[in-house]
Amino acid sequence: MEPKMSDPVYVASPLLPDLDQLAPLLEEIWSSKHVTNHGPMHQKLEAELSKHLGVPTTMLFGNGTIALLTALKFLDLPPKSEVITTPLTFAATAHAIAWNGLKPVFADVDHTTLTLDPESVELAITENTSAIIGVHVYGTLCDVDALARLGAKYNLRVIYDAAHAFGARKSGIPVSQFGDASIFSFHATKLFNTLEGGLIASPNEDYKERIYFLRNFGIKNEEEVVDIGINGKMNEVQAAIGLLNLKAVEQEKARRRELRARYTSFLSGLDGVRLAADQPDVENAEQYFPVILNKAQFGRSRDDIYEALKRRNIFARKYFHPICTDFVPYQSEQIVSTKNMPVAEEVKSQVLCLPYHSGVGVDAVDMIAEVFLNGTTA
Ligand SMILES: *Cc1c(COP(=O)(O)O)cnc(C)c1O
């Protein structure tokens, strides 16, 4: 029997405000002619994000990558020094290190959380190490306490790529309070989006001034340029969309939690199927729904499931496959692992992110359930 076809279902779908709501904000922007350069929408969004994320410093950027680049620039790490990160992340994490003239060093991930394994990080530390970038991958939080201890013990800066962790909390503490700074992406695929956008958040209020200069060519005033800055600014239309989307984030999260419950009800208990780590003290960011498939136990591989879903017009994604150490420029970089077989190497062939947004309807969930449950690869 041919699989049933329907409208395509993608792994992510942008949360977009009603055009009726957007129009008055666009009219304000148009009539003021203040379309960028820290306009009123931008200032309002930074203030609201500071409240939402529970930190004093929230600096908007045109995208998450330029926010990452600027955060590393801000830290003034010694040229060519080593920055330890995870290979199980989006390319931007590693690229931001290399673009700053630093050397990415990849440590292994923890089997359960899929985030940086602190033991592996410690093995990777040398006298040239200057920083650690943890990634709260899929919204699962890093072992922030262990990474903070390593930072203190070896005098390293610790920052987080929190692109998947918007609004997450650990024991009630907002995720952006951990480390020197956290970087968020507001790309269309992210839970909270401004079409393209990014943010540096930090518990340190003193960081604001220099990040402000770095974001805007180092310009202090009409007469003075005080730093080697770049253009990382977000424009007013992006900020207006952010102001509207921020109001809708909690509802979107609630709908994703319902989807999580539906997926979990048929996936938990299946042999060879593992879901994201259970972090009971964490308020999840609801960014992705990763499934880890062990072929020896489950009978079918991640790729079998990926293809079977695709034939039904359901586009799950193999985030993150390939991993950063597979990319041509990083093939010679080191992976440090306590095991012969690094966990990241294994996970990359097993992980699949299922469609995870409020547009995933009951029909799609039923089709996904059928693919997982009835044991066919057709
Ligand atoms: C999306 C993402 C980024 C980059 O963000 P952009 O806004 O697309 O530049 C960085 N890191 C991770 C882990 C991401 O998922």
Side-chain angles (χ1 to χ4, degrees), residues 29-65:
I29 297 168
W30 261 235
S31 65
S32 74
K33 306 256 193 294
H34 199 159
V35 295
T36 185
N37 287 10
H38 320 111
M41 303 282 167
H42 184 283
Q43 286 174 36
K44 195 161 174 224
L45 183 57
E46 281 191 342
E48 291 198 6
L49 287 170
S50 169
K51 267 189 256 157
H52 193 93
L53 298 174
V55 283
T57 296
T58 44
M59 307 293 288
L60 286 167
F61 281 81
N63 60 62
T65 302

Side-chain angles (χ1 to χ4, degrees), residues 64 130 154 291 317 375:
S130 58
Y154 295 98
V291 178
R317 290 294 297 267

